[in-house]
Each structure stands twice: as structure tokens, then as C-alpha cells.
Amino acid sequence: MTAIENTALGRLEKEGRLLNAIFKGGTTKQGRFGFRGDIALKFQAQVADEKRPPHYSIEQVLTVVQEGESSIPVLAGYLHCFAYLADVANVLDGALSPDGSYFMFCNNIDLLAKYRIKLRGITFNALPCDESTVWKEMMDLVGVDKNDIKKLDAPGKLDYLLDAAKDVDMSYDEISYEDGLKRMDPVRNRNENRPV
């Protein structure tokens, strides 16, 4: 059984940042630990012992880590605002690797835009996300058909998708974070146009 403490997610777990887990545990690969859920980026001030939800998080995170390794090899998630990318780089500082594959789907970047942005020596792929989920966007991005993974269990699906994601060629335009801030659109309300 792979213990989270011995992986690159150990510190985030200790800091109470791994929230709303759909899946959190060993996967089908030896010594590998998977996580699907949210990673809190900014906490609200806590009053007494009341537990408050974070101000904002990387939502719908998909990641796997290897026991005994200090960095996260691949991670995908959703950011409600592109500007939060700086917080991602700060909070995950030391847990990401220059050779890793990191995908951030953002609510407020142009729907045709795909950027590569370097922060703290780490390259992030910033992609648009509209009315979809990170899981579905990643399936499309890496070209995995749902029939390919239909017979696998939850950890098996996560392994399959993220192994495929490591080999995706990302030759997107490289821009600076500051440039990305200038180009970003206003944050769209996720709940508008939804039937009540």
C-alpha cells in the first residue's frame, strides 16, 4: 500500500490542502499514488475551530505521484481565474519538476488560446475550459477514447489517462505570465445559462 506521506503530495496533505477527493489512494501501478479532487491555494481566515472552505483552489485535479520521488510528474486542474497560476507556482513550489507535464484549464482565457507559461522554472500549459470538465478536456487533449478505458476501475483510468498525458506534444505559444494577465478575459460566472 502506497502511503501519501512518502510522495510529493505528502506536504500538501499535511497542510490540509487536498480537499473534496473523489479518489485518493494507491493506483494500479506499483508504488504509485493517485489523487482526484481539489488543491486549496488560498485559505480563508479561520475563526476559532470552524472549518471554512478555501477562497480558491485548483479544482478537479488529476494527478499521480510515485512513492519516494519528490516531484509531481503530471498534474491537470481547473482554475477559475488565470491569475491564480502564480499561486499554483507558489503553493506547489518544490513539488513540481522542470520536466513535468502540467495542464491548467482556465475559466477566463480566450477559447481558442493555448499558452505555455514559465513560472519559477516550471512550464505550465494554460488552456481554455468552457462548460466542460478537466477529465473530459484531458481525454480530448491526449486522444483517449472512453471505450479505451471503459473496463478499467477508477485508479486504472487515472493511470491510463495521465500516462498518455506525459507524452503529449505541447508546442503552444510561450508567453509571460504578465502577458497572460493582460490577455485574460473577465471571469465568467459558472452558473449563468444553467437551467434552474
Side-chain angles (χ1 to χ4, degrees):
M1 185 64 199
T2 310
I4 193 169
E5 300 76 53
N6 307 331
T7 72
L9 293 176
R11 169 177 66 85
L12 301 174
E13 171 78 344
K14 212 180 282 168
E15 291 170 1
R17 292 186 186 276
L18 303 184
L19 305 169
N20 306 327
I22 300 171
F23 174 75
K24 186 173 167 186
T27 71
T28 55
K29 304 268 175 99
Q30 183 64 41
R32 189 186 263 189
F33 191 92
F35 176 72
R36 282 186 74 179
D38 299 341
I39 298 177
L41 293 174
K42 185 168 191 233
F43 290 111
Q44 292 191 52
Q46 263 179 275
V47 185
D49 57 355
E50 94 180 292
K51 200 89 170 112
R52 292 181 168 194
H55 269 303
Y56 49 87
S57 304
I58 313 172
E59 299 170 36
Q60 302 178 42
V61 169
L62 309 173
T63 188
V64 288
V65 287
Q66 200 62 35
E67 197 164 20
E69 289 180 12
S70 60
S71 61
I72 298 168
V74 58
L75 181 139
Y78 169 84
L79 294 176
H80 198 50
C81 177
F82 169 82
Y84 299 163
L85 192 59
D87 296 294
V88 175
N90 291 337
V91 168
L92 299 182
D93 189 34
L96 302 178
S97 141
D99 329 322
S101 302
Y102 308 113
F103 307 88
M104 290 295 145
F105 293 90
C106 306
N107 164 294
N108 62 332
I109 64 174
D110 187 290
L111 288 177
L112 300 173
K114 290 181 164 71
Y115 307 131
R116 286 166 65 89
I117 292 149
K118 237 189 189 118
L119 281 170
R120 294 180 172 245
I122 303 297
T123 302
F124 294 94
N125 298 294
L127 304 143
C129 189
D130 185 40
E131 308 258 324
S132 185
T133 62
V134 170
W135 182 266
K136 191 176 168 331
E137 293 281 355
M138 284 301 289
M139 293 273 285
D140 292 347
L141 187 70
V142 303
V144 173
D145 187 273
K146 61 176 186 279
N147 291 325
D148 299 343
I149 59 173
K150 169 164 89 181
K151 293 193 169 79
L152 302 174
D153 59 3
K157 287 178 178 165
L158 192 61
D159 277 334
Y160 191 101
L161 179 63
L162 294 181
D163 282 341
K166 288 182 203 164
D167 304 324
V168 174
D169 178 34
M170 301 299 151
S171 40
Y172 306 141
D173 292 345
E174 189 150 333
I175 64 166
S176 69
Y177 172 70
E178 292 67 29
D179 198 10
L181 290 177
K182 285 187 201 128
R183 295 185 195 191
M184 73 182 183
D185 300 325
V187 172
R188 290 187 295 275
N189 176 353
R190 285 186 260 209
N191 303 318
E192 70 185 354
N193 305 330
R194 290 257 167 99
V196 178

